[in-house]
Amino acid sequence: TDAAAWERAVHAFAAARALAGLAPLLPVAGPSGVAGAVAASISGGHGVSGAPPLPSECYAMALRSLLLRPDDHPTLLRLITDWPPSAVDAGALAGAVAARAAASGVASPPLLDAAAALYSRLGRPAAALDVLLAQGAPRAVGYADAHGLVGGLKGGALAALVAADPLAAVPLLAAHHATVPPGRVLSSLADAAAASGDPARAAALSAAAADYVSAAFAAAPDSFDAPAADAALALLVDHRPADVATFAREAAALDLDAATSLCADRGLHAARAALLARSGDDAGALAVLVNDAKDVASAVALAAARDGVSGDLWRLLVSLAAADGDAAGALLDVGGRPSVEPVRSRS
């Protein structure tokens, strides 16, 4: 029979160490020739369903023969994808692929893709994701989302997800802030950056962490606990200084003293003023806004907001502005508060 002839050919090619060349030609959809064409037309042109025409051992031998040479790995991946499940013993082959990947040191991308495809077929999406992350495949991000795996990520796996595709991973993790809290994300990325031994990779992870802070804080400001808030501020100072003032004003868990010192050291005057105001040092905040930030409009806003607490702030504001011609002019330009001029006349 045709099947018997194919089976003999498989063993002959295997003995000659040439089975990899025969593997793509093996029949997997049923009888060949006229009978096969008729059956294919009946099934809608997609091949005959049911068991393949050769013993399972033949297909297993053929697929294993494609493991040895990296040049054959694309063919292995294609056959795993194209052949019917009945022709692929996914459990046994997944183990063989994993062993080959480990033995080769640096596995080829098609070999890793083959492992991921087999694990998916076995209903083990977490193992498939591990393979994709090891490969640094950008599609790992979508795979993790589609299979509900984001919430379980931590440590190196979480950092690998971000490294695989930061533009996709950052908003995904920000949206999952309830199951993947910012503290876990930031510590995972910091650990990975420190352990990378590659300055460029470490810098990229740090920048991605800062992008994550902005996205997650916009989605859920209260999700940053004390350690995470302090780490987040430092990342923004380094990578996104324009976002620091908003974070300084609104992040509830910040260590205000440490944050104020950091912003003073980096010359981030608006953020420093916000932190001083949060600490109750309104006079210090006004001085920073007028003298350092040259932002009289924000100083006026602060004085107006605190007016019921301390009218002395208006006198201090006018006094600070009077010492600087530009600030005095800016104060007059701001206007809008009738009591500014009377206070100025008494100073």
Side-chain angles (χ1 to χ4, degrees):
T1 65
D2 285 348
W6 275 109
E7 185 176 358
R8 288 194 297 271
V10 166
H11 287 281
F13 273 72
R17 299 182 181 276
L19 184 53
L22 182 67
L25 305 177
L26 296 182
V28 293
S32 59
V34 175
V38 172
S41 67
I42 294 173
S43 65
H46 298 294
V48 178
S49 61
L54 303 182
S56 59
E57 178 190 2
C58 291
Y59 298 108
M61 291 171 60
L63 291 172
R64 286 198 301 269
S65 74
L66 298 170
L67 288 172
L68 301 178
R69 298 174 61 250
D71 287 348
D72 291 329
H73 293 168
T75 302
L76 173 67
L77 175 61
R78 177 169 59 83
L79 296 185
I80 288 172
T81 304
D82 292 348
W83 281 2
S86 55
V88 180
D89 184 345
L93 187 58
V97 170
R100 179 59 182 163
S104 62
V106 179
S108 68
L111 186 64
L112 292 171
D113 279 341
L118 291 166
Y119 284 129
S120 292
R121 183 174 292 189
L122 290 168
R124 297 174 58 190
L129 178 61
D130 287 342
V131 171
L132 295 174
L133 292 176
Q135 184 183 353
R139 62 190 179 89
V141 179
Y143 188 91
D145 188 23
H147 290 82
L149 300 172
V150 177
L153 293 173
K154 57 184 177 181
L158 197 158
L161 188 81
V162 174
D165 188 349
L167 292 179
V170 162
L172 177 65
L173 291 172
H176 283 77
H177 59 83
T179 53
V180 189
R184 187 197 306 176
V185 175
L186 297 183
S187 63
S188 296
L189 293 176
D191 290 346
S196 69
D198 179 352
R201 178 178 172 82
L205 288 172
S206 182
D211 293 341
Y212 166 78
V213 168
S214 290
F217 191 71
D222 293 338
S223 63
F224 287 78
D225 59 16
D230 296 336
L233 180 70
L235 287 164
L236 294 179
V237 167
D238 285 339
H239 298 282
R240 300 178 66 101
D243 294 344
V244 172
T246 298
F247 193 87
R249 282 192 297 270
E250 300 176 9
L254 273 176
D255 180 331
L256 297 181
D257 290 339
T260 302
S261 296
L262 176 61
C263 291
D265 290 342
R266 297 299 185 89
L268 298 171
H269 305 307
R272 180 186 171 200
L275 291 162
L276 288 170
R278 284 184 60 183
S279 300
D281 186 0
D282 293 332
L286 275 182
V288 170
L289 288 171
V290 175
N291 296 332
D292 299 319
K294 307 300 181 184
D295 185 358
V296 173
S298 293
V300 169
L302 175 61
R306 297 287 202 266
D307 187 53
V309 177
S310 174
D312 291 339
L313 285 181
W314 286 104
R315 296 183 180 82
L316 175 60
L317 172 57
V318 172
S319 175
L320 290 169
D324 184 318
D326 291 338
L331 180 59
L332 292 175
D333 290 340
V334 170
R337 187 179 190 280
S339 61
V340 170
E341 284 305 314
V343 169
R344 185 174 185 275
S345 66
R346 293 194 298 269
S347 62

